[in-house]
Amino acid sequence: MGMEQPVLRSFDLGTGPLTPDAFIMETGQVDLSVYTSQERFEAEREIFGRVWLNVAETAEIPNPGDWVVRDVKVRSSSIILVRGKDMEIRAFHNICSHRGMKLVWDDKGRGGRFSCPYHAWMFDSAGDLVNIPDEGCFPHVDKKASGLSPVRCETWEGMIFINLDAQGTQPLMEFLGPLTERLKNVPFGSYPYTARVGSMIDANWKLAIEAQCEAYHVRALHSRTVSKMLSSKENPYVHPLHVEFLGAHRMNSVPRNPDYELSPEKLVQAFSFMNAQQMVIADTGAQEKPEETFAGHNDVNPIRSNLWGNDQYVLYPHFIFHLSLGGWWLHRFWPIAADKCYWEAVYHFEQPQSLRNQFAVQYSLALNRDTLMEDNLALVQQQEVMQSGAKKIVQFGEQEALCKHLAAVSEAAANDAEAARIAAE
Ligand code: FES
Ligand SMILES: [Fe+2]
């Protein structure tokens, strides 16, 4: 069965209009070297230095003075995100103006003052240098000009993005393009209970994204975990219910199996499923206050399918989020080397109201983690043999539309970066 092809649009990553690679969109065939070659990795390193990158959520730093640190290792950068007294969120390079020490060594904190571990130069939440111990010995230091180096930082729907290109001018809203019309006022904040997982994976970061972008692999790779929850009589190969290409980004509605039944032999699972919404399977039961959940939002489950499990948004270059009735979750995939990436996931649930809820949420997390481990272990095997050179291409099918579109956008972006590099020489 062929699938309907969504409308393809051009996109802009701040260097002018680009179109997704036509050959990849037509055939689904991608040169395998994009996952193994150092040249491609260098082009991607350049891209991560000038496009908007999702790094955190505003809810992580709710109060003035709250801060988190996020690393962008592919750019050898560490970034402080801090909420100022004026409630603005600002981003700074995590490096001291005295002699280049890493200013903050912890991951998060509060207080909005940063004292360098080396010689205790002190900076405030606006990035200003506010104290130099033994200041008389620095007659040539211009204190005003020696604040922290700012990083461009903007937010959208509670999500914090940074852009490491100090000269860049593209606003975040333009980068997000059609996505901003597509999703407005989605109640992300109704799910304040969070849990984080992450690990280093010995595989190219794009392989890791692709494993989260298609459900074709669910029947085979996840036969022991979630296959029966997703694969149904009506939709055995777990085709996406709906696909949209949104400029450089994309979304699909992921199905579930409406006939999935809790097994009387799996008592713990049954207990958990009855005591909290799970991430991988949606309860279609009436929601108490639909306007406060995703269920009541027009942009969620856009085709109103009763097979609907969750909506998945895949943002260029490295960010995915899923909206389901049970909450929402996100993934970030950080390139480390051509054959190594760091994966992090953050799960957002409604606040558990009882110990039963709490247990059920933990069960949901464990089930997700087991499923993701199946993905991540497979990726290592894939990367290892890809490097043999035995195959020249990979080939995506129509149900892998998101992977194909991501590959076509990545190809166009990498060619653009390469052309810019040659022009600069
Ligand atoms: S390097 Fe930071 S105070 Fe000296
Ligand atoms: Fe998977």
Side-chain angles (χ1 to χ4, degrees):
M1 182 183 86
M3 291 178 49
E4 203 181 318
Q5 289 301 307
V7 180
L8 201 59
R9 315 192 214 194
S10 63
F11 61 95
D12 188 341
L13 302 176
T15 57
L18 298 172
T19 41
D21 185 84
F23 179 77
I24 293 175
M25 287 312 301
E26 171 69 25
T27 64
Q29 295 179 1
V30 179
D31 194 322
L32 187 145
S33 68
V34 305
Y35 306 103
T36 55
S37 88
Q38 195 55 34
E39 294 75 37
R40 178 58 175 257
F41 187 74
E42 292 308 326
E44 292 168 350
R45 189 196 300 280
E46 143 71 24
I47 291 166
F48 270 70
R50 63 173 170 76
V51 299
W52 287 98
L53 302 171
N54 177 278
V55 286
E57 295 144 64
T58 57
E60 292 179 67
I61 43 176
N63 303 308
D66 290 352
W67 54 267
V68 289
V69 170
R70 292 292 138 89
D71 290 345
V72 186
K73 289 201 186 295
V74 69
R75 300 296 308 176
S76 306
S77 294
S78 175
I79 309 297
I80 303 170
L81 303 161
V82 56
R83 196 183 281 272
K85 291 194 190 107
D86 55 1
M87 292 305 278
E88 278 299 303
I89 292 174
R90 295 181 179 83
F92 301 101
H93 283 284
N94 185 12
I95 176 170
C96 179
S97 312
H98 175 214
R99 280 167 49 199
M101 176 51 72
K102 186 174 189 178
L103 177 61
V104 179
W105 295 2
D106 289 336
D107 292 343
K108 61 181 176 184
R110 48 183 42 169
R113 292 227 148 188
F114 307 103
S115 173
C116 181
Y118 210 175
H119 316 91
W121 282 30
M122 172 87 82
F123 303 83
D124 68 11
S125 62
D128 292 332
L129 173 59
V130 290
N131 189 42
I132 300 176
D134 202 8
E135 191 170 348
C137 285
F138 291 95
H140 299 293
V141 165
D142 178 348
K143 221 166 152 185
K144 269 209 161 44
S146 299
L148 298 176
S149 302
V151 172
R152 292 162 66 208
C153 178
E154 292 182 26
T155 64
W156 169 71
E157 298 288 347
M159 303 192 189
I160 306 176
F161 292 75
I162 59 163
N163 190 316
L164 291 168
D165 183 358
Q167 268 81 52
T169 55
Q170 185 184 39
L172 173 63
M173 289 303 133
E174 191 183 298
F175 173 78
L176 293 175
L179 197 72
T180 56
E181 301 145 30
R182 192 65 191 65
L183 281 180
K184 271 205 188 108
N185 305 319
V186 173
F188 290 103
S190 296
Y191 303 88
Y193 183 81
T194 58
R196 287 167 190 278
V197 288
S199 71
M200 207 62 98
I201 306 173
D202 286 333
N204 185 272
W205 63 288
K206 299 188 295 300
L207 294 180
I209 296 182
E210 287 165 6
Q212 302 306 322
C213 282
E214 48 87 5
Y216 180 42
H217 73 275
V218 162
R219 277 168 59 111
L221 191 64
H222 299 311
S223 60
R224 284 169 303 183
T225 47
V226 294
S227 173
K228 289 197 179 67
M229 298 177 194
L230 302 177
S231 168
S232 63
K233 277 200 297 296
E234 295 94 323
N235 189 355
Y237 290 102
V238 204
H239 286 178
L241 302 170
H242 173 67
V243 179
E244 283 176 54
F245 298 147
L246 302 163
H249 322 291
R250 57 212 64 78
M251 71 81 65
N252 71 3
S253 293
V254 183
R256 71 193 167 94
N257 175 9
D259 301 320
Y260 180 71
E261 284 183 2
L262 296 172
S263 159
E265 275 141 47
K266 293 187 175 171
L267 287 175
V268 176
Q269 188 187 71
F271 176 82
S272 299
F273 275 54
M274 286 184 296
N275 282 290
Q277 300 273 4
Q278 303 291 309
M279 289 298 186
V280 288
I281 185 164
D283 183 351
T284 50
Q287 301 277 314
E288 267 179 29
K289 291 184 189 157
E291 68 286 357
E292 288 176 19
T293 70
F294 297 142
H297 201 281
N298 280 340
D299 291 335
V300 180
N301 187 9
I303 63 161
R304 300 280 145 210
S305 169
N306 58 2
L307 291 179
W308 182 79
N310 65 79
D311 282 347
Q312 174 184 35
Y313 285 82
V314 180
L315 275 62
Y316 186 79
H318 79 313
F319 178 50
I320 297 181
F321 62 89
H322 292 252
L323 313 176
S324 81
L325 290 193
W328 68 283
W329 67 101
L330 64 84
H331 300 271
R332 300 187 190 100
F333 299 90
W334 295 103
I336 302 291
D339 59 358
K340 194 189 259 304
C341 66
Y342 183 75
W343 155 74
E344 60 176 328
V346 186
Y347 294 88
H348 299 72
F349 298 89
E350 286 176 26
Q351 191 64 39
Q353 300 298 328
S354 64
L355 281 175
R356 284 163 177 256
N357 287 159
Q358 181 86 29
F359 177 85
V361 163
Q362 293 303 323
Y363 178 86
S364 173
L365 280 171
L367 180 62
N368 270 271
R369 199 198 46 220
D370 286 356
T371 310
L372 291 165
M373 284 304 127
E374 288 175 337
D375 291 320
N376 295 350
L377 292 171
L379 298 173
V380 178
Q381 308 287 338
Q382 186 180 18
Q383 183 74 39
E384 199 172 289
V385 293
M386 273 189 159
Q387 314 214 133
S388 67
K391 294 287 182 201
K392 299 294 176 224
I393 58 167
V394 299
Q395 346 194 30
F396 293 117
E398 289 175 7
Q399 76 283 60
E400 297 168 307
L402 264 55
C403 296
K404 183 168 78 170
H405 184 248
L406 177 58
V409 167
S410 303
E411 185 72 18
N415 290 339
D416 182 50
E418 180 62 8
R421 189 188 64 78
I422 292 167
E425 274 177 5

